[in-house]
Amino acid sequence: MHIILIPVDFSNNSMNAAKYAAELFKHGHSEIYLIHAFADRVYNEKLNLPDTDFDSLKAKTLSDVEEKLAKMKKDLFAYSPNPKHKIITVAEFGLLVDTVNEWVESKNADIVVMGTQGETDDKNITFGSNTLQVIKYVKCPVLAIPEIYTDVHPKNILFPSDFMIPFKRRELKLLGSLAKCFASKINFLYVSKFNNLSLRQHDNKAFMEACLSENQIDFVQKDKKNVTKAVNKFIIENPIDMLVMVNTRHSYLENILYKSTIEKIGLKIDIPFLVLQNLPR
């Protein structure tokens, strides 16, 4: 049984992410939660309508959200009428990251799936602000799906790693089960000019190999100084269907997320992006 949380804003991108999740997890039993946190919407409308009673505005917004969630549930089931899936809708007066984290904890969720963009759909940026916030702070693997991406059969997965940080068994098992369902190959990309691994790197690599013992895995080393260029080049030169990275303290991904924007760093992501978390749960 997989517990899948899908934060939605009723945009085309969020519906595409929901369809992707339903197809990606089609082989097993899953509970799919369509979640909409609407506190920001109420506060913004209150600013524009100062004379409106707050509780009335909140109740009206809740009714509207529940109606849209019901339609989205119906459309998703029509797209993927899978008897192994149970679809639950959640309308909650709260902030996005807080609401998602609360549901991650209460349901012991396996993964959060969402679109890379929201209602604004700015084509000049890779990730919308909500997606970045969820990737940064939600204590659960996050899978971000570009709106234009519809191929839900990942054959080649790219996982850049320097093997310096320990992996979580549960998250590697999640990746392994997905890869096994689609007979995917997981390509580990190690970017370094040094051939020898330290004892820590050997231990982490051995743990990863043990967790993914039933999967096709490959190790590639690139003698380069710039990780971003190496990742971009590998994606261009190989038919990669999904990118996987780990978000933890002092990691390459944390450096991208916190010190700058992905656009300034230059990491080009137009395929599904799975972020594993080393945040405490």
Side-chain angles (χ1 to χ4, degrees):
M1 168 74 77
H2 286 110
I3 307 297
I4 305 161
L5 307 186
I6 307 178
V8 301
D9 60 5
F10 311 114
S11 64
N12 291 334
N13 204 340
S14 64
M15 186 63 197
N16 184 60
K19 290 178 177 179
Y20 188 98
E23 181 69 13
L24 189 66
F25 291 93
K26 67 181 180 180
H27 300 288
H29 292 274
S30 298
E31 287 186 356
I32 300 174
Y33 290 81
L34 303 177
I35 300 176
H36 183 82
F38 60 91
D40 281 341
R41 176 176 165 183
V42 172
Y43 290 132
N44 289 336
E45 290 191 18
K46 180 60 178 172
L47 288 175
N48 296 326
L49 303 168
D51 296 330
T52 306
D53 178 72
F54 186 82
D55 289 335
S56 298
L57 185 58
K58 183 178 173 181
K60 180 178 179 298
T61 305
L62 174 60
S63 177
D64 179 59
V65 168
E66 288 178 335
E67 184 178 336
K68 288 181 178 178
L69 282 171
K71 182 181 184 305
M72 189 171 185
K73 175 181 177 179
K74 181 179 178 181
D75 291 344
L76 181 59
F77 186 76
Y79 169 79
S80 179
N82 193 331
K84 297 179 180 180
H85 288 177
K86 181 180 179 181
I87 304 173
I88 303 102
T89 61
V90 177
E92 189 158 309
F93 181 76
L95 301 177
L96 176 64
V97 171
D98 293 340
T99 298
V100 174
N101 261 329
E102 288 169 5
W103 280 86
V104 163
E105 184 174 349
S106 66
K107 295 298 177 181
N108 195 22
D110 296 294
I111 192 169
V112 174
V113 182
M114 63 189 304
T116 55
Q117 298 288 337
E119 289 180 306
T120 54
D121 196 23
D122 188 342
K123 303 300 184 184
N124 296 316
I125 63 174
T126 303
F127 295 112
S129 58
N130 285 338
T131 308
L132 278 176
Q133 291 300 307
V134 171
I135 288 174
K136 286 182 185 180
Y137 301 118
V138 167
K139 300 173 183 179
C140 177
V142 179
L143 178 60
I145 311 298
E147 182 178 357
I148 61 172
Y149 205 89
T150 56
D151 185 0
V152 198
H153 301 87
K155 293 302 181 185
N156 285 283
I157 299 170
L158 176 61
F159 194 157
S161 178
D162 59 7
F163 304 108
M164 289 297 293
I165 56 176
F167 300 101
K168 284 189 174 182
R169 183 185 302 274
R170 177 178 178 177
E171 301 196 354
L172 286 178
K173 288 295 186 183
L174 173 69
L175 173 62
S177 67
L178 290 176
K180 187 177 179 181
C181 286
F182 293 96
S184 311
K185 182 170 76 171
I186 305 172
N187 302 273
F188 283 89
L189 177 62
Y190 175 51
V191 181
S192 175
K193 58 184 177 181
F194 302 107
N195 291 322
N196 295 329
L197 299 180
S198 68
L199 289 177
R200 177 195 294 182
Q201 289 172 307
H202 274 297
D203 286 344
N204 291 333
K205 183 170 178 280
F207 177 77
M208 179 274 301
E209 288 177 306
C211 290
L212 301 176
S213 59
E214 297 182 357
N215 297 101
Q216 303 176 58
I217 57 177
D218 190 26
F219 296 96
V220 180
Q221 180 174 347
K222 295 295 182 181
D223 183 2
K224 292 184 179 294
K225 294 182 179 180
N226 190 302
V227 175
T228 300
K229 289 183 178 178
V231 171
N232 285 337
K233 191 170 188 291
F234 196 93
I235 292 175
I236 291 171
E237 294 178 351
N238 298 273
I240 300 301
D241 307 297
M242 182 181 291
L243 176 65
V244 181
M245 288 188 178
V246 179
N247 180 29
T248 190
R249 289 181 60 81
H250 311 303
S251 68
Y252 165 74
L253 183 56
E254 186 196 50
N255 184 60
I256 290 178
L257 296 176
Y258 288 87
K259 293 183 67 175
S260 184
T261 65
I262 286 178
E263 285 66 40
K264 291 180 181 178
I265 294 292
L267 187 62
K268 302 183 187 306
I269 304 173
D270 55 6
I271 55 178
F273 183 35
L274 175 59
V275 179
L276 305 181
Q277 304 285 9
N278 255 346
L279 301 171
R281 283 178 76 173

